[in-house]
């Protein structure tokens, strides 16, 4: 996260902090800028020390604002607050961009007429996400601060890897490690003692849209993200690979909620597998693969009808889904308190 933090500091936060918390010696610093063009403050000091870029890939020349705040870049409280804003607000931007693209160009809008599609569902999904993300960010930021301050095993140059091939192997290693632990965390969230409090808010969406991807209870969303955050504290991980993987995770989370069943794979836990999870609750807990569901006895192969549009959107298939879903839902949750709404039924009759 130090690379991300440097980019945001250079283009956004240096100027904001310089205006909000100006140093008492701003004038002196401005006069000495030419001789200290590549310098910055150590925490809470007046005079700049050598500034080192967090990566060898590029160097961002700090502007004058980097030297004009009483909260310099390496102040832990500034780093904490800045990383919180990045995690929350930038995370929200990424969510809206990719969920909206998926919603507009991939998601099948005929899903609106499914009997289990909720009244005002997209609005409710977005509302839940807006509640969850700022709270999830509070729990996430300590991990990012630890990374920025050098406690993780993140490395910059490929030559710094344990061995050269590790630069490639780190990607499947990260996916396998996180997929294993998310499987067990996710399965644990279905335990009756915690399900209704923590995980049911995400299962409110029987037929999710891409906007459901981050519509969690905050503690649920954070719990399932823990493996991503602890990995670089246990194993080496390239800094750029780390950013790529986090972008991939967020995009993948959107795509498995888009209802477009492209991957009819026995290995990949794609949208079809995850739809089975939302419909029938107790299957397909994995995030990326079906491997741990197979070992854990919780794998359910998606119905073949899901991969043919004429059958996946048929009244017969929907009736079969609803009948089984209602049986499982009563066992897991008891009475169904969801509001499906008269509008959905009206659209269903119109289309079917």
């Amino acid at each position: 996260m130090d690379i991300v933090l440097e980019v945001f500091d250079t283009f956004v936060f240096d100027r904001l902090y310089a205006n909000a918390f100006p140093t008492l010696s701003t004038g002196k610093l401005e006069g000495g800028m030419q001789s200290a063009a590549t310098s910055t403050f150590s925490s809470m000091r007046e005079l700049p020390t050598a500034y080192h870029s967090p990566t060898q890939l590029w160097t961002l020349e700090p502007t004058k604002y980097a030297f004009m705040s009483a909260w310099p870049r390496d102040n832990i409280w500034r780093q904490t607050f800045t990383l919180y804003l990045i995690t929350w607000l930038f995370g929200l931007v990424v969510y809206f961009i990719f969920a909206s693209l998926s919603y507009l160009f991939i998601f099948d809008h005929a899903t609106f007429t499914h009997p289990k599609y909720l009244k005002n569902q997209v609005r409710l999904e977005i509302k839940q996400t807006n509640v969850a993300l700022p709270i999830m960010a509070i729990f996430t930021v300590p991990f990012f601060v630890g990374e920025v301050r050098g406690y993780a095993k993140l490395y910059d140059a490929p030559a710094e890897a344990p061995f050269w091939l590790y630069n490639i192997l780190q990607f499947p290693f990260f996916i396998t490690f996180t997929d294993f632990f998310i499987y067990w965390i996710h399965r644990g969230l279905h335990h009756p003692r915690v399900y209704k409090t923590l995980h049911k808010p995400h299962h409110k969406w029987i037929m999710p849209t891409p906007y459901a991807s981050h519509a969690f209870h905050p503690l649920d969303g954070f719990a399932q993200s823990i493996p991503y955050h602890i990995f670089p504290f246990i194993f080496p991980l390239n800094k750029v690979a780390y950013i790529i993987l986090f972008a991939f995770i967020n995009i993948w989370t959107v795509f498995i909620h888009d209802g477009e069943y492209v991957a009819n794979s026995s290995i990949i836990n794609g949208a079809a597998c995850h739809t089975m999870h939302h419909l029938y609750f107790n299957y397909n807990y994995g995030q990326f693969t079906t491997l741990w569901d197979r070992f854990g006895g919780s794998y359910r192969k998606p119905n073949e009808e899901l991969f043919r549009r004429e059958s996946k959107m048929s009244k017969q298939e929907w009736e079969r889904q609803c009948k089984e879903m209602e049986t499982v839902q009563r066992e897991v949750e008891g009475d169904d308190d969801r509001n499906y709404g008269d509008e959905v039924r009206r659209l269903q009759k119109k289309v079917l």
Side-chain angles (χ1 to χ4, degrees):
M1 287 298 291
D2 52 358
I3 294 177
V4 174
L5 187 59
E6 182 194 40
V7 172
F8 275 90
D9 273 339
T10 301
F11 294 105
V12 180
F13 289 104
D14 282 340
R15 183 165 189 165
L16 290 178
Y17 284 111
N19 288 315
F21 306 103
T23 181
L24 296 177
S25 54
T26 297
K28 177 181 177 181
L29 288 171
E30 285 180 320
M33 278 298 299
Q34 290 185 355
S35 61
T38 59
S39 303
T40 189
F41 277 108
S42 293
S43 183
M44 303 308 289
R45 295 177 184 171
E46 280 194 18
L47 296 177
T49 57
Y51 171 75
H52 301 286
S53 174
T55 178
Q56 301 175 23
L57 297 177
W58 63 77
T59 299
L60 288 176
E61 197 73 19
T63 66
K64 65 179 181 179
Y65 299 106
F67 311 94
M68 294 171 60
S69 174
W71 274 26
R73 284 187 179 185
D74 61 355
N75 178 278
I76 189 171
W77 302 112
R78 167 175 164 166
Q79 289 175 337
T80 300
F81 184 64
T82 303
L83 287 167
Y84 173 76
L85 293 178
I86 293 171
T87 305
W88 170 25
L89 299 177
F90 187 63
L92 196 62
V93 169
V94 170
Y95 161 75
F96 273 113
I97 289 174
F98 287 100
S100 297
L101 288 173
S102 178
Y103 180 80
L104 291 172
F105 299 109
I106 300 175
F107 176 69
D108 192 334
H109 291 73
T111 303
F112 295 156
T113 61
H114 193 285
K116 296 302 178 182
Y117 185 83
L118 301 185
K119 181 180 180 181
N120 300 320
Q121 181 169 314
V122 169
R123 186 185 306 169
L124 293 171
E125 290 169 340
I126 293 172
K127 180 181 178 180
Q128 181 64 42
T129 302
N130 276 284
V131 170
L133 288 185
I135 300 174
M136 288 169 59
I138 294 172
F139 297 102
T140 303
V141 162
F143 291 97
F144 290 157
V145 172
E147 294 164 10
V148 167
R149 298 189 77 81
Y151 294 102
K153 296 185 178 182
L154 294 166
Y155 66 91
D156 183 35
E160 298 171 9
F163 52 93
W164 189 89
L165 190 59
Y166 187 83
N167 291 297
I168 299 172
L169 294 178
Q170 64 184 329
F171 291 97
F173 184 27
F174 180 91
I175 295 297
T176 303
F177 175 91
T178 56
D179 196 40
F180 172 78
F181 284 102
I182 290 171
Y183 170 81
W184 288 108
I185 292 169
H186 189 179
R187 187 164 184 168
L189 286 163
H190 277 259
H191 190 281
R193 291 187 178 180
V194 297
Y195 171 80
K196 288 187 178 181
T197 302
L198 295 183
H199 197 50
K200 185 180 176 181
H202 187 63
H203 271 274
K204 185 175 184 177
W205 334 113
I206 302 299
M207 295 300 296
T209 80
Y211 292 107
S213 58
H214 293 68
F216 292 96
H217 184 289
L219 292 180
D220 176 7
F222 171 70
Q224 295 194 60
S225 73
I226 289 174
Y228 304 134
H229 302 308
I230 66 172
F231 183 93
F233 288 91
I234 302 174
F235 304 106
L237 186 63
N238 179 264
K239 292 180 179 181
V240 175
Y242 178 69
I243 296 170
I244 293 172
L245 285 165
F246 262 83
F248 166 73
I249 290 162
N250 282 279
I251 296 170
W252 180 264
T253 303
V254 171
F255 284 174
I256 62 174
H257 291 89
D258 66 16
E260 187 59 35
Y261 312 127
V262 176
N264 187 6
S265 169
S266 59
I267 298 173
I268 299 173
N269 185 59
C273 280
H274 200 65
T275 292
M276 302 300 285
H277 178 71
H278 275 266
L279 274 170
Y280 308 125
F281 296 84
N282 297 324
Y283 304 95
N284 301 349
Y285 298 108
Q287 180 74 355
F288 303 112
T289 74
T290 65
L291 178 63
W292 309 117
D293 280 295
R294 291 175 182 279
F295 280 127
S298 55
Y299 174 67
R300 176 164 174 167
K301 184 177 170 57
N303 301 337
E304 288 297 327
E305 290 83 1
L306 296 181
F307 299 97
R308 299 189 298 271
R309 192 181 190 285
E310 64 277 7
S311 60
K312 84 170 185 176
M313 291 297 177
S314 69
K315 183 177 180 180
Q316 181 180 2
E317 173 64 12
W318 285 358
E319 287 177 347
R320 187 193 61 76
Q321 289 175 357
C322 291
K323 183 177 180 181
E324 184 177 357
M325 171 263 161
E326 288 168 359
T327 300
V328 178
Q329 182 272 322
R330 282 192 295 269
E331 294 174 356
V332 174
E333 298 180 345
D335 293 337
D336 191 352
D337 58 1
R338 296 168 180 83
N339 181 9
Y340 300 104
D342 295 333
E343 179 67 13
V344 173
R345 295 185 179 91
R346 186 187 67 78
L347 287 171
Q348 181 189 1
K349 291 178 182 178
K350 182 178 179 181
V351 173
L352 298 179

